[in-house]
Amino acid sequence: MALDGAFLRHLKREIEETAAGARVDKIYQPNREEILLMLRTRDGAFRLLLSARADSARIHFTRHAPENPKEPPMLCMLLRKKLSGARLAGIRQPQLERLLFLDFDTVNELGDAVRLTVAMEVMGRYSNIILIDGDGAIVDALRRVDAGMTSGRLVLPGLPYRLPPPQDKLCLLSSGRDEILARLRAIPGDMELSKALLSALQGVSPVVCRELAFLTGHGKEMTLRAMTPEQWDRLAFFLERVSGTVGDVSGAPWIARASDGKPLDFSFLRIGQYGSAAIVRQEESFSALLDDFYEERDRIARMKVRSQDLLRVLTNASDRLSRKINAQRAELEQCAKRDILRIYGDLINANLYRLEKVWSSAVLENFYEEGQPNITITLDPTLSPAQNAQKYYKEYRKQRTAEEILTVQIQRAEHELAYLDTVFEELSRAADERDLNEIREELAGEGYLRVQRGTKRRSAVQGPMQFESSDGFRILVGRNNSQNDLLTLRQAGKNDLWFHTKNIPGSHVVLFTQGREATPVGIAQAALLAATYSRGRESSNVAVDYTLVRNVSKPPGGEAGHGDLCKK
C-alpha cells in the first residue's frame, strides 16, 4: 500500500495545525532510513517521523519512541547542528506530488537568520530525505545519488535541488472532470477502469482508483470500452466528489482490516470495495492510522537489520555443524563395514601355508559363511602373508575406535545444533535492543562471539516475562536460554510446574504454585504461553510437556537453556 499525494495533502494540514511554529527540540536517527524530529510547542511535545523505507515511506506524528543507536550517524549529527532550536515556519506540497517541504527558520554559525528546508520525498524505493539551504542547494541527503547511479537527477551536497521529473498525469486540483474524462476516453485498448484511472491521475493510489471503479460499477469491475453512458455519468459524479474532498482537505482517515485484524489498506475515503471481507474503521487521525498500520512491520524490519550480525554468526555455525555431521555420518557408514577387515585377517592367518609374499591377491574359502564361498582378498606384495593379516587387523581396530569416537562427536554436534536452533528461536522473538544484547552475551559466553576489549559492562538483565493466570497463579516465561536456566534452576521451587513445547525450541515456562494445588485453568494457560513463545506459535495444535520442576535438570557441561527431563 503506497501513501499517495492526496493522503499526503491531508497529513500536511494535520501537521500544520498541530505543530505550526514548533521548535526542534531533539533529532534522532533510529536507523539508516528514518529521522525522528522532537518538536515542542506551548501545547506539548510531538514526535515527527520521517521514513524513507522503500516499502513504507511516510511522514507523520508517532506515539512510539524507537530505540536509537549509541553513536548517531553522520546525517543525524548534521541535522542536529543545522536544525536544533529551529522553528517550523511552514509546509509546502507541489500540487499532489508525493513530496513535502518542511521550512525551518533558524540562525547560522554567524548568527544570521536563515531558512533551511527538509524535503520528504515519498516515492517508494526512490524515497529520500534531503536538507536544502536558503539558496536552494543540497546540504546533504539520506540517500546520495551520483552519476554512477543515474543519468538524470543527481542528489549530492552542493548541487541545486531539483524536483523529481513530472509524470504525464492530470492533477485533481487543477484539472476538471471533463478533461479527466477526455483523457480516459483517449486511452487506447480495452483497459480496466481502475487501471486507466491510475494511469491518468496524479497523486491517487490504487485503492482510490479501485474505489472509484467500485462506486461507478456498483461493485463490478469494468473496462473502458464496456462502459455505458450512465456509467460515464456516474464516474463524472464521483470524480467531482473526490476532487472536492481533496481540494477542501475534507477526507477522513479510514483503514480496512481483515477479519484477523491484519491491516489491508488505508485511504482518505471510506473504503467499500472489500465488502464483508474487511472491517472498515475510521481512526482518530491520519498520523494514528499510519502509526498503527506500519509500526509492527517496521519494528520487525528494524530488529532484522540490528540482528544481522547475530544471524550471520548463527547461520555460519549451523552450516559448519551440518557439514561436519554429514561428513562424520558418511565416515561412520564406512566404519560399519569394518567386520570384513577382521574376516580378511582371519582367512589370511588360516591360510598362511598356501600364500606367498609376492602375491597381490588371493582367492580363499570364506568359512564364516555357509557353503564356504570363495572370496578374493587384496594383498600387498611387499609384505609377508602374516604382515598382510596384521595390516587388516590394524585397520579393523582403527575403524572400531573411529566408530566409537564418531558416535560421541556426532551426538555432541547434534546437541550443539539443537542449541543453536533455540538461539535462532530467541532471535525471532527478540523485541528490542536489550533482548539482542542478552543474546549476544549468551553467545559470547558460549564462545560463538569474541568479546571485544574495552566493551562496556554487562547491561541490566530484564528478567523473565511475567503473567498471571485468570485464577491467580503467577507464571514466568524465559526470554532466552540464559533466562531459561535462571528461571528453571534458580527461581522456581521444586513443587512448581515446568512447561516446554515437545520437540520444538521455545521458552521455559514455570507456573508458581506457592503451596497450592495447580488448577486445570492455570495449567492450560501456562501451556498456552509455552506454545505462544515457541517456534510452533503459528501452528493450530502444539504439544506441550509439563512436570514438576524437581524432575528437570541440566546435563553436566550442557549449553544454556538445555533442560532435560530426569526419569524418576
Side-chain angles (χ1 to χ4, degrees):
M1 172 63 208
L3 192 158
D4 60 30
F7 195 97
L8 197 60
R9 182 175 171 85
H10 288 78
L11 275 170
K12 169 182 174 289
R13 171 173 286 187
E14 183 173 282
I15 296 171
E16 284 176 329
E17 292 177 345
T18 304
R23 295 283 180 181
V24 179
D25 189 18
K26 296 178 181 179
I27 302 174
Y28 300 106
Q29 188 174 352
N31 54 68
R32 60 186 179 185
E33 297 175 315
E34 292 180 343
I35 298 293
L36 192 67
L37 301 179
M38 302 294 291
L39 304 178
R40 186 172 295 278
T41 68
R42 293 181 179 179
D43 298 327
F46 306 91
R47 299 186 184 98
L48 184 63
L49 175 68
L50 287 73
S51 174
R53 290 183 181 275
D55 61 343
S56 59
R58 64 199 190 277
I59 174 173
H60 61 86
F61 294 115
T62 179
R63 300 185 300 268
H64 306 284
E67 291 183 279
N68 296 294
K70 296 177 182 178
E71 297 295 333
M74 293 296 295
L75 179 62
C76 181
M77 291 192 289
L78 174 67
L79 292 174
R80 288 177 179 177
K81 177 182 177 181
K82 298 289 187 180
L83 294 180
S84 291
R87 182 178 63 86
L88 180 60
I91 304 176
R92 296 175 285 123
Q93 181 186 18
Q95 292 197 332
L96 290 183
E97 292 285 352
R98 290 183 294 169
L99 167 64
L100 288 185
F101 291 113
L102 281 71
D103 294 325
F104 292 93
D105 288 336
T106 184
V107 293
N108 61 16
E109 295 85 347
L110 301 177
D112 299 327
V114 295
R115 172 161 290 187
L116 298 176
T117 299
V118 174
M120 178 68 236
E121 299 181 350
V122 183
M123 300 174 184
R125 63 193 179 115
Y126 301 107
S127 299
N128 209 343
I129 302 172
I130 305 172
L131 180 62
I132 308 166
D133 66 18
D135 297 325
I138 297 172
V139 179
D140 209 343
L142 191 74
R143 292 191 177 99
R144 296 183 179 182
V145 182
D146 58 25
M149 302 168 65
T150 180
S151 58
R153 176 174 175 254
L154 302 181
V155 181
L156 291 172
L159 295 182
Y161 176 83
R162 290 190 297 154
L163 287 172
Q167 296 177 303
D168 184 22
K169 293 185 178 183
L170 301 177
C171 177
L172 290 172
L173 299 178
S174 57
S175 300
R177 68 175 188 177
D178 292 337
E179 185 180 359
I180 296 173
L181 293 176
R183 172 69 68 91
L184 292 173
R185 293 179 188 275
I187 293 177
D190 195 18
M191 187 180 292
E192 292 180 356
L193 176 57
S194 60
K195 294 180 180 178
L197 288 167
L198 188 62
S199 67
L201 297 178
Q202 178 204 43
V204 291
S205 60
V207 65
V208 175
C209 296
R210 292 197 306 268
E211 192 66 22
L212 282 169
F214 173 82
L215 295 171
T216 301
H218 295 289
K220 182 180 179 181
E221 183 59 79
M222 69 197 76
T223 61
L224 293 175
R225 189 174 298 174
M227 287 178 61
T228 64
E230 179 186 358
Q231 289 171 334
W232 280 105
D233 291 340
R234 284 178 58 81
L235 176 61
F237 170 77
F238 288 116
L239 275 172
E240 191 165 356
R241 191 168 75 175
V242 171
S243 295
T245 301
V246 174
D248 299 338
V249 198
S250 56
W254 292 96
I255 186 169
R257 297 179 182 272
S259 56
D260 60 357
K262 181 180 180 181
L264 296 175
D265 264 318
F266 62 82
S267 179
F268 62 95
L269 300 174
R270 193 182 191 287
I271 305 171
Q273 60 196 263
Y274 288 101
S276 60
I279 301 170
V280 179
R281 189 181 69 182
Q282 183 176 340
E283 296 287 342
E284 61 182 23
S285 68
F286 290 93
S287 290
L289 184 154
L290 294 179
D291 227 14
D292 292 342
F293 192 91
Y294 287 115
E295 172 56 27
E296 179 63 16
R297 184 167 64 177
D298 280 3
R299 185 192 66 80
I300 294 172
R302 284 193 292 266
M303 292 302 297
K304 185 176 180 181
V305 170
R306 294 183 180 185
S307 63
Q308 284 300 311
D309 60 330
L310 297 177
L311 187 62
R312 183 167 54 252
V313 169
L314 292 173
T315 301
N316 291 341
S318 296
D319 290 345
R320 175 181 54 79
L321 281 172
S322 296
R323 291 194 300 269
K324 178 181 177 181
I325 290 172
N326 290 333
Q328 289 176 335
R329 282 176 177 166
E331 192 175 347
L332 191 60
E333 288 181 6
Q334 296 296 323
C335 294
K337 303 175 183 178
R338 69 182 185 280
D339 284 340
I340 192 65
L341 301 174
R342 179 179 55 80
I343 292 173
Y344 286 169
D346 290 347
L347 295 181
I348 293 173
N349 274 338
N351 293 276
L352 290 176
Y353 66 96
R354 299 169 52 186
L355 304 176
E356 296 185 14
K357 182 176 180 178
V358 295
W359 288 4
S360 60
S361 64
V363 179
L364 304 174
E365 298 83 7
N366 185 2
F367 49 73
Y368 283 100
E369 292 189 19
E370 188 176 354
Q372 298 188 9
N374 288 338
I375 185 172
T376 301
I377 302 175
T378 302
L379 302 174
D380 185 344
T382 63
L383 301 177
S384 67
Q387 289 174 327
N388 271 290
Q390 291 304 315
K391 179 182 177 182
Y392 277 114
Y393 285 141
K394 182 179 180 180
E395 187 64 26
Y396 166 75
R397 290 191 296 271
K398 178 181 177 182
Q399 292 196 11
R400 183 179 63 186
T401 303
E403 182 181 44
E404 296 172 355
I405 295 173
L406 286 170
T407 301
V408 174
Q409 288 181 340
I410 291 174
Q411 288 176 348
R412 289 177 180 172
E414 288 176 339
H415 191 70
E416 185 179 356
L417 197 60
Y419 165 71
L420 292 176
D421 209 23
T422 66
V423 184
F424 269 117
E425 172 57 24
E426 291 175 23
L427 199 57
S428 70
R429 290 187 281 108
D432 51 37
E433 189 69 29
R434 287 190 298 175
D435 287 343
L436 293 181
N437 286 337
E438 288 189 17
I439 294 173
R440 287 191 180 95
E441 290 173 2
E442 177 186 332
L443 290 176
E446 298 293 339
Y448 292 98
L449 285 177
R450 184 177 300 174
V451 180
Q452 303 267 350
R453 287 187 177 181
T455 53
K456 294 183 179 180
R457 63 180 180 179
R458 184 173 178 175
S459 57
V461 178
Q462 299 183 77
M465 293 176 281
Q466 301 192 34
F467 300 90
E468 185 174 328
S469 69
S470 57
D471 52 357
F473 286 96
R474 189 164 68 109
I475 303 173
L476 297 187
V477 180
R479 299 174 188 269
N480 51 57
N481 285 323
S482 298
Q483 288 189 14
N484 287 341
D485 277 359
L486 182 65
L487 173 60
T488 302
L489 304 177
R490 299 283 185 87
Q491 293 180 270
K494 294 182 178 180
N495 294 320
D496 295 329
L497 289 180
W498 178 87
F499 296 78
H500 194 278
T501 46
K502 185 175 183 178
N503 300 326
I504 299 176
S507 295
H508 290 199
V509 177
V510 174
L511 185 147
F512 288 81
T513 59
Q514 297 176 326
R516 294 185 290 164
E517 184 76 21
T519 63
V521 172
I523 291 174
Q525 292 179 356
L528 181 60
L529 286 171
T532 300
Y533 292 96
S534 75
R535 182 167 293 173
R537 56 185 170 271
E538 301 294 337
S539 303
S540 58
N541 190 11
V542 181
V544 177
D545 289 325
Y546 75 96
T547 184
L548 292 172
V549 171
R550 70 177 65 184
N551 295 329
V552 182
S553 67
K554 181 179 178 180
E559 290 88 352
H562 275 217
D564 289 347
L565 293 178
C566 290
K567 297 180 181 179
K568 292 187 178 181

